[in-house]
Amino acid sequence: MDSIWYKILGVVVSFILAFIVGMTYMGLSRKIIARVQNRKGPPFYQNFIDAMKLYSKSTAIHHGLMQHLGPAFIMVSSIMTLMIVPVLNDGKWFPNLNFDGDLIFLLYIMVFGPLGMALGAGQTGNPNSAIGVTRGLSQMVGFEIPWVMALVALMMQFKTTSIVDLMEVQAQSGTWLMFSSPFAFIAAVLAMLGMFRYSPFDIVGAPTELASGPVSENGGKYLFTLMSSGAVFAFAKLTLYVDLFMGGADNLIVLLLKTFAIYLIPMLYGVVSPRYRTEQAIRYFWGWPTFFGLLAILHAVFF
Amino acid sequence: MDMIYLIFLIFLSGAVISWLAGKVNHVLQDILFLASVIVPSVLFYMNVSVGQEVHFKAGGIDLSWGITDFGWIFSLIVLGLGVLAAIYSVGFMKGKERRGYFYFNYVLSIMSMLGILFSKDFVSFFIFWEIMTWSSYLMVIYNGKHTQSIGIKYFIFSAIGAYAMLMAIVISHSVTGNFMIADLITAYPVLSFNLQLLIPILLLVGFGVKAALMPLHVWAPGAYSNSPMAYTSVFSGALSKMGVYGLSIVMLSMISHLPEGFWFREVLAWMGAITAAIGTLWAVKQDDAKKLLAYSSVAQLGYIVTGIAIGTELSILAGLFLAVMHAIFKSTLFMAVGAIERQTGTTNFTEVTGLIRKMPWTFLASLMSIIALAGIPPLGGFVGKWMLYESLITSDHYMLIILVFFSSTAAFLYCYKFLFGFFLGQEEKEWAHVKEAPVLMVIPMLVLAGLSFVLGTFPGLILKPIDAGMQALGFAPTNQHLWDTSILFNSWGNQVALQPILYAILGIFVVFTIFLTIKGYKNTRYVTTKDISSSGEVPKEHENLTFSINFFQPFMRAVEPVMRRQIDKYYNGFANGLEALFDFTRKIYTGNGQTYAIYVILFLIIMLLIKNNVFG
């Protein structure tokens, strides 16, 4: 059973699941944001329609090899993240590589894609793309600090760097880590605000300001790949949060409920917030989130 | 004659001959230069085994040369990089002036570095160290620019380091009665506490200067960027590692015997991490590629020092692995900058853009090295970073890891700036004529880039000699429980298996490349970087859309309070203070005979008063 084909099948299945769930969540978020702003909003399946349209379009132009490969780079990062994060508590249905990488590896593979994408965006020569990339990288330096602090606190407390082990800890003690390590959870959630790039941290795409930033100049299949990568990545990150702080999930229904609950946080925070300037965003993450990160580490060391 | 003498003899005569041959024929000069680097390197790996020693007497002092397992790791850096950079140099120096001068100093540098690794006594160590300083100093002032500001600064710091080292050597001689390094290490644990503290500090000042450790790093950005790039790749890649070599020996075989060594190690580890953070922030700010890479070297050496200072098995593995990796990727990047400088005449990001289609191989090599530098899997930098983080976590350095992580995340910023500034962005007509660098320059870059790819998946290739070196310094073998050929472990038993990861990454990448390319790349047509949808308007030919000035302005605004302080300012303040003092002495020594006459009379009067007990 443990053959290479079984694993590849697992990856394909998890990919399709992540694609569908991620796309649905993105559609739901559009609907919810619209309702908050007292608009009707598109139907929740609008994103599937968009994706199909983009996929079926043929592309006429490209800006060179790097731009052509940019979406493939970001896809590598999204799927690798998905492959390292255990989808359900027993790995049977979605076998992946989670025994071959740990949290530190995950931190690094998560930035592989954005950097590859940044190169693709750079080659188009659109100044808005490059400005978006510089903003994105700057913001990343901001939110990675509390995020790493939260992870370091968990890793120190339980003497492991493996996601599976951290899930094991929760299964054995019966408490979710969001309750037993509350400060780490707060720091991680605040860092997540930047990770999901809803406002006030939507400075990378920045509608009406940067004209969608790095993804401009991409159309047709390129944009389709970028979009599906975004959906997969969002699902993988949400699953990671559920695995780390909410004890993972035993079946798909629970997984969907938990991931959607987490997903609501950055979305609802974003609906009512105007956009930050880049330096404000960075300093935001180095303020309270970092403070909670410090508390988390102190908590992990002394308790 | 022993092979060891022969190696040094070939180096020495090769340096002189390849200088003089320039008067006869340039091709002959190039061949002789390559031979004088390659032949001794081949002889070294063919005929010199670890543990082989030669002894001789010079001036009544016993001298002894031989290579240890630990030195052997560094010999890989020195000679491997030395040979590749020598091939690159031939391409780089073609048509340039003063090639003999360059070749002479280059060969001497390589020789002196190998000599440092061979030295088993302090006298030859110090002599080789000084040859290294001198030859690198002559390279720094090669182009004759900024000899005052940059050359003198480098020299002053090297001199401070050398004097500190000399004092340590003299003290050690007074303790042990001879100049053998091994004797000092044996005698160290029973020394008085003051000496136990003084000797390592003096030595660390000497090594810290070369390793560009904060606050001794201020010479590095200028010196790295002012030497010819062909040499800077060796300067930053190998020469700075000599500091690391010395520092590791001091830390691992002396400080570890000290009961108070813990604090020593902590302080050094923090200095390394702060060096990394400050170096990274300054690298992000630079608009000149040479300066950017120079500050980045300072930062990367900070990680290495941190790893070695922590002193656990995993952290030392990490530090030494990062040292090898840094030699590989940073020298490639300096070579790429040299290639761009040669082809375009500038290294400023605000001037040159859009070279990706003109210099694709240089871009490929830079891309690989940048990925390795950023520590992104599956390239070699990741292995080192992973081991460093794991060693910091497992040894409870929770604040240090945040600082290290901050600087390595901020490093993405200058990584992107390097690639975007040179290769991506708008293609300007001004640079339409640029062609790829000569083959002799491209091949060494690609070889090094390929190496960092191989080491990313099979780090065991280089961890094996590192392990042997650590065993020579008295550590337990680390194979199987911390690393295997392509698997890494931490001391809690967590692992990263690099082969499945590489195959997964390649698999996904290939699948999606095919997906994008089918009915894609072939049928689409390439459009220039002016043909873009900038907010729905098509930009005109003459419109300037290049984005390179104030590249990371928002980030710089966010970190502005940190950047306000500069260690250089303190040094300058100190120098100004000294100058004021000298000015003041100038008021006393006026050069006027009559003033001196008054001094004599005043002195006599004071003496008379004292004699007559006026004051008493």
Side-chain angles (χ1 to χ4, degrees), chain B residues 26 29-31 33-34 37 81-100 102-107 110 139 142 228-235 335 338-339 342 438-445:
Chain B
H26 281 316
Q29 187 186 23
D30 290 342
I31 292 170
F33 165 64
L34 282 180
V37 178
L81 194 55
V83 168
L84 286 171
I87 298 170
Y88 175 90
S89 302
V90 171
F92 182 81
M93 294 306 288
K94 197 171 182 195
K96 284 212 167 64
E97 287 176 5
R98 302 167 79 193
R99 296 202 299 178
F102 178 93
Y103 289 164
F104 177 74
N105 286 314
Y106 187 97
V107 178
I110 303 290
M139 284 296 208
Y142 163 82
M229 284 297 112
Y231 184 70
T232 309
S233 58
V234 175
F235 201 166
M335 286 178 186
R342 192 177 187 279
V439 184
L440 272 183
M441 292 165 77
V442 172
I443 287 175
M445 286 194 272

Side-chain angles (χ1 to χ4, degrees), chain B residues 110-275:
Chain B
I110 303 290
M111 181 202 79
S112 59
M113 285 188 270
L114 193 65
I116 288 167
L117 302 177
F118 262 103
S119 304
K120 297 207 142 192
D121 60 285
F122 276 120
V123 174
S124 30
F125 190 93
F126 189 74
I127 290 172
F128 280 123
W129 192 268
E130 283 304 289
I131 297 176
M132 179 175 87
T133 301
W134 272 98
S135 55
S136 54
Y137 168 72
L138 291 174
M139 284 296 208
V140 169
I141 59 166
Y142 163 82
N143 59 10
K145 288 179 203 151
H146 311 297
T147 47
Q148 280 294 317
S149 56
I150 289 171
I152 299 291
K153 199 193 259 178
Y154 174 52
F155 205 79
I156 286 175
F157 274 90
S158 295
I160 291 171
Y163 290 139
M165 200 190 293
L166 197 59
M167 272 163 76
I169 292 171
V170 170
I171 293 169
S172 121
H173 184 260
S174 73
V175 174
T176 61
N178 63 36
F179 287 108
M180 290 299 153
I181 295 173
D183 286 0
L184 175 66
I185 290 171
T186 351
Y188 182 77
V190 292
L191 292 181
S192 72
F193 181 66
N194 286 342
L195 284 182
Q196 277 184 331
L197 221 53
L198 186 63
I199 294 176
I201 288 178
L202 286 173
L203 286 175
L204 285 183
V205 169
F207 299 134
V209 167
K210 278 289 179 297
L213 188 64
M214 209 195 71
L216 302 168
H217 67 283
V218 290
W219 60 270
Y224 286 162
S225 57
N226 208 36
S227 358
M229 284 297 112
Y231 184 70
T232 309
S233 58
V234 175
F235 201 166
S236 160
L239 207 140
S240 63
K241 300 301 174 301
M242 292 301 109
V244 175
Y245 170 74
L247 199 133
S248 328
I249 290 183
V250 172
M251 289 309 289
L252 304 183
S253 51
M254 291 167 76
I255 299 291
S256 50
H257 295 297
L258 204 62
E260 291 81 3
F262 172 75
W263 293 108
F264 213 103
R265 286 204 294 268
E266 289 299 294
V267 169
L268 199 67
W270 272 97
M271 274 167 72
I274 292 170
T275 310

Side-chain angles (χ1 to χ4, degrees), chain A residues 61-250:
Chain A
I61 55 165
H62 68 88
H63 281 94
L65 195 61
M66 223 40 229
Q67 188 258 336
H68 180 71
L69 294 179
F73 272 111
I74 198 161
M75 212 57 186
V76 168
S77 165
S78 303
I79 298 182
M80 280 309 287
T81 313
L82 187 67
M83 287 171 78
I84 300 296
V85 178
V87 179
L88 292 181
N89 275 355
D90 57 342
K92 254 181 222 159
W93 285 93
F94 302 101
N96 58 21
L97 288 177
N98 57 46
F99 291 101
D100 295 328
D102 65 351
L103 279 169
I104 302 281
F105 172 76
L106 192 71
L107 281 173
Y108 268 91
I109 199 72
M110 276 164 83
V111 298
F112 178 92
L115 215 58
M117 175 63 208
L119 296 176
Q123 205 189 11
T124 62
N126 190 330
N128 282 341
S129 304
I131 292 171
V133 169
T134 61
R135 289 175 168 202
L137 291 174
S138 309
Q139 176 165 296
M140 194 175 75
V141 180
F143 71 72
E144 289 273 313
I145 302 299
W147 173 224
V148 168
M149 283 176 145
L151 291 185
V152 165
L154 294 186
M155 292 189 271
M156 309 261 315
Q157 196 172 357
F158 300 104
K159 301 269 178 255
T160 178
T161 61
S162 141
I163 306 167
V164 184
D165 288 356
L166 284 173
M167 290 165 74
E168 196 79 354
V169 165
Q170 299 177 70
Q172 277 173 8
S173 69
T175 356
W176 293 351
L177 280 183
M178 66 184 279
F179 298 122
S180 55
S181 317
F183 299 120
F185 179 67
I186 295 172
V189 162
L190 290 177
M192 184 173 70
L193 299 178
M195 228 181 270
F196 274 90
R197 291 182 186 163
Y198 278 107
S199 52
F201 303 105
D202 57 345
I203 53 175
V204 178
T208 71
E209 188 186 344
L210 286 186
S212 71
V215 294
S216 57
E217 307 305 324
N218 285 292
K221 263 188 186 176
Y222 298 127
L223 195 54
F224 169 74
T225 314
L226 289 175
M227 208 171 154
S228 26
S229 156
V232 172
F233 201 33
F235 176 76
K237 280 187 286 192
L238 290 171
T239 314
L240 175 66
Y241 271 86
V242 170
D243 285 348
L244 286 181
F245 294 104
M246 299 174 78
D250 292 325

Side-chain angles (χ1 to χ4, degrees), chain A residues 59-62 68 100 102 104 108 112 118-119 122 125 133 140 148 156 159-161 217 221 277 279 283, chain B residues 367 375-377 386 389-390 398 405 408 412 416 425-426 492 494 496-497 515 517-518 524-525 527 532-533 557:
Chain A
T59 316
I61 55 165
H62 68 88
H68 180 71
D100 295 328
D102 65 351
I104 302 281
Y108 268 91
F112 178 92
L119 296 176
V133 169
M140 194 175 75
V148 168
M156 309 261 315
K159 301 269 178 255
T160 178
T161 61
E217 307 305 324
K221 263 188 186 176
R277 290 164 65 97
E279 62 266 27
R283 286 195 173 161
Chain B
L367 177 65
I376 292 174
W386 189 89
Y389 290 133
E390 300 285 342
Y398 20 87
F405 201 89
S408 78
F412 296 141
Y416 185 65
Q426 286 287 329
W492 292 336
N494 305 121
V496 162
F515 172 76
T517 311
I518 282 181
T524 53
R525 101 197 123 82
V527 292
I532 52 173
S533 71
R557 280 199 203 124

